[in-house]
Amino acid sequence: DKAAEDKLTTQAEELTGADAAFVFDSESPSFGLGSALNSPVAAGKTWADLCFRATLKKEDGVKLGLDVDYMVDRKVLPVMAITGGLAEAWNKSCPEGQQMMRGDSIIEANGTRDDVAEILEHCKHQKVIELVLVRGLNFEALVDDLEKLIKTKGCGPLMIRLSWHDAGVYSAGDLTGGCPNAALRFKESGEGAFAISAGLPTVALSLLAPITSKYCPYLISHADLWTLAANTAIRVMGGPDIPTKFGRTDAKSAAESVQSQVGRLPDGDKGVDHLRMIFHPKGFDDKAIVALSGAHTVGGCHADRSGFEGAWTEEPLRFDNSYFIDLLNKAYTEETSSKGMPQHRSKSGTIMLISDLALIQDPAFKKHVETYAGDKNAFFNDFTEAWVKLQENGCFNLREIL
């Protein structure tokens, strides 16, 4: 009733001031970020722009008025709705920039963070609840930030390569182990120092840094972020909408890397036997090898990274079946890159590597090239199946919801 609403509003007004202000000091409960509080995150914001605190004091019979999306594997409680009670009264008493809303996430309650079960218990049972919230810390905002990055920077192919090199080290043959665990972010040794992954720990991760700073590790692990970034890039560039599962665990140091790239990731200057030697222990047959190779429909090679140079197709930011059409219809002349690596170039300037041309030199491979050249949907379907398998190899207990 009106009297109860007035009481709630008055109570909320009594809690404004320092308790309602955005939190900028390093001693506050806003992540303990210190100087990082002013570090840039996605959409040109800093943590200081996104973090705020609300203190709510319960009275008997008055509900909190926050619906949250609880999942034990998360570190945050996303706010799904404001449903009245103290939360609504708080919002009526505060300036617009300090109001709680759908899409915010609770990352701390009464000094507790990282443990969502305990955070929820504080919200349910404590009389006074000091909340730290973050604007836009949710799945929809994350995907939106990734889409903006990919469209503005044209870095979709690089996001695909990042996910591929993170997950592609897996093997179950003579070599064992490996999984997508974001060990590449440790540049000093291990997977982050592999020559075959040159440019990923520097260029790719620098592009992702504002998004990483905002969402990792509170909402998503680094390994899950790289997976989602690649799949978002494929969709944004016109490819299939690939489902992403979550729950990958990040490596804590370079010591959790596999020992070597040899025998785990393919070399562009090798042919048919090498492709099968690399991919069969990962659980991929010839059809899957060809389908995965179709990722070369986007992107290109850079001499300062791989030693090769040039784009595979004439529209390297469009994900379609052009790669297979070109393999069958263009003539390629052997050449040497500026770094001395063997490759082949067409009259239009596009390239193919030895590992690419191997797909039309072996009949068991070529029949799939022909299928995909004539049927983009067949390529998309088979690529999706193989790509999801690649991204999930070595992982356990993945979930469909972030």
Side-chain angles (χ1 to χ4, degrees), residues 91-155:
N91 284 350
K92 289 181 177 179
S93 69
C94 293
E96 184 176 345
Q98 299 173 23
Q99 294 175 350
M100 292 177 282
M101 63 184 68
R102 188 185 194 289
D104 295 343
S105 281
I106 300 169
I107 58 93
E108 184 175 309
N110 292 354
T112 295
R113 57 183 170 182
D114 295 341
D115 186 338
V116 290
E118 188 173 348
I119 290 173
L120 189 61
E121 286 301 301
H122 284 303
C123 292
K124 287 180 177 179
H125 301 300
Q126 296 298 317
K127 289 290 187 182
V128 177
I129 311 164
E130 294 187 356
L131 300 175
V132 177
L133 301 97
V134 182
R135 292 276 186 240
L137 194 64
N138 58 71
F139 180 75
E140 291 77 13
L142 170 56
V143 172
D144 184 60
D145 284 338
L146 286 171
E147 289 178 351
K148 290 176 181 175
L149 174 69
I150 291 158
K151 291 175 182 177
T152 57
K153 299 296 184 180
C155 61

Side-chain angles (χ1 to χ4, degrees), residues 216-234:
C216 298
Y218 282 99
L219 185 70
I220 191 170
S221 68
H222 293 269
D224 280 347
L225 174 62
W226 299 0
T227 301
L228 180 63
N231 294 348
T232 302
I234 290 167

Side-chain angles (χ1 to χ4, degrees), residues 4 28-29 56 96 112 134-135 154 169 228 234 272 274 300 310-311 313 329 334 336 353 362 382:
S28 75
L56 304 179
E96 184 176 345
T112 295
V134 182
R135 292 276 186 240
V169 295
L228 180 63
I234 290 167
V272 172
H274 175 74
T313 65
N329 294 293
E334 187 175 357
T336 302
L353 308 182
D362 184 290
D382 290 347

Side-chain angles (χ1 to χ4, degrees), residues 86-354:
L86 288 176
E88 184 174 285
W90 174 270
N91 284 350
K92 289 181 177 179
S93 69
C94 293
E96 184 176 345
Q98 299 173 23
Q99 294 175 350
M100 292 177 282
M101 63 184 68
R102 188 185 194 289
D104 295 343
S105 281
I106 300 169
I107 58 93
E108 184 175 309
N110 292 354
T112 295
R113 57 183 170 182
D114 295 341
D115 186 338
V116 290
E118 188 173 348
I119 290 173
L120 189 61
E121 286 301 301
H122 284 303
C123 292
K124 287 180 177 179
H125 301 300
Q126 296 298 317
K127 289 290 187 182
V128 177
I129 311 164
E130 294 187 356
L131 300 175
V132 177
L133 301 97
V134 182
R135 292 276 186 240
L137 194 64
N138 58 71
F139 180 75
E140 291 77 13
L142 170 56
V143 172
D144 184 60
D145 284 338
L146 286 171
E147 289 178 351
K148 290 176 181 175
L149 174 69
I150 291 158
K151 291 175 182 177
T152 57
K153 299 296 184 180
C155 61
L158 194 57
M159 297 299 105
I160 295 171
R161 181 171 175 247
L162 179 64
S163 179
W164 157 232
H165 282 237
D166 186 37
V169 295
Y170 170 86
S171 183
D174 293 336
L175 299 171
T176 59
C179 66
N181 63 359
L184 274 163
R185 70 191 195 280
F186 302 107
K187 295 180 283 189
E188 70 280 1
S189 61
E191 292 172 35
F194 288 176
I196 202 169
S197 297
L200 293 177
T202 51
V203 180
L205 296 191
S206 294
L207 286 167
L208 269 178
I211 294 175
T212 300
S213 297
K214 179 179 178 182
Y215 295 99
C216 298
Y218 282 99
L219 185 70
I220 191 170
S221 68
H222 293 269
D224 280 347
L225 174 62
W226 299 0
T227 301
L228 180 63
N231 294 348
T232 302
I234 290 167
R235 175 177 54 78
V236 166
M237 292 188 292
D241 190 357
I242 296 175
T244 304
K245 289 185 179 179
F246 304 95
R248 294 165 186 80
T249 302
D250 288 334
K252 294 180 175 60
S253 72
E256 295 182 51
S257 297
V258 297
Q259 291 185 339
S260 172
Q261 69 189 43
V262 177
R264 293 181 182 272
L265 295 169
D267 297 319
D269 60 350
K270 295 182 174 63
V272 172
D273 292 341
H274 175 74
L275 289 174
R276 291 192 173 110
M277 184 269 290
I278 293 292
F279 283 97
H280 284 182
K282 304 180 193 299
F284 296 115
D285 59 15
D286 287 352
K287 182 174 74 170
I289 293 172
V290 177
L292 288 172
S293 298
H296 284 176
T297 198
V298 295
C301 299
H302 301 266
D304 60 340
R305 300 173 195 171
S306 65
F308 305 107
E309 50 195 344
W312 284 279
T313 65
E314 294 176 29
E315 294 190 64
L317 294 180
R318 187 177 72 181
F319 197 103
D320 59 15
N321 60 340
S322 295
Y323 170 77
F324 300 110
I325 295 172
D326 287 356
L327 270 173
L328 294 176
N329 294 293
K330 286 186 177 182
Y332 294 89
T333 302
E334 187 175 357
E335 67 174 21
T336 302
S337 75
S338 62
K339 296 294 185 180
M341 297 298 291
Q343 60 182 50
H344 297 74
R345 189 174 297 274
S346 71
K347 288 183 178 180
S348 66
T350 59
I351 69 161
M352 290 290 172
L353 308 182
I354 292 174

Side-chain angles (χ1 to χ4, degrees), residues 44-111:
K45 304 286 188 179
T46 67
W47 272 113
D49 298 318
L50 301 178
C51 305
F52 68 103
R53 184 169 62 171
T55 302
L56 304 179
K57 185 177 180 181
K58 289 183 180 177
E59 296 286 344
D60 290 341
V62 178
K63 67 178 184 177
L64 186 60
L66 283 173
D67 278 356
V68 296
D69 185 15
Y70 172 77
M71 181 179 290
V72 71
D73 294 311
R74 292 193 184 119
K75 294 187 177 183
V76 301
L77 284 175
V79 176
M80 303 303 293
I82 306 298
T83 59
L86 288 176
E88 184 174 285
W90 174 270
N91 284 350
K92 289 181 177 179
S93 69
C94 293
E96 184 176 345
Q98 299 173 23
Q99 294 175 350
M100 292 177 282
M101 63 184 68
R102 188 185 194 289
D104 295 343
S105 281
I106 300 169
I107 58 93
E108 184 175 309
N110 292 354

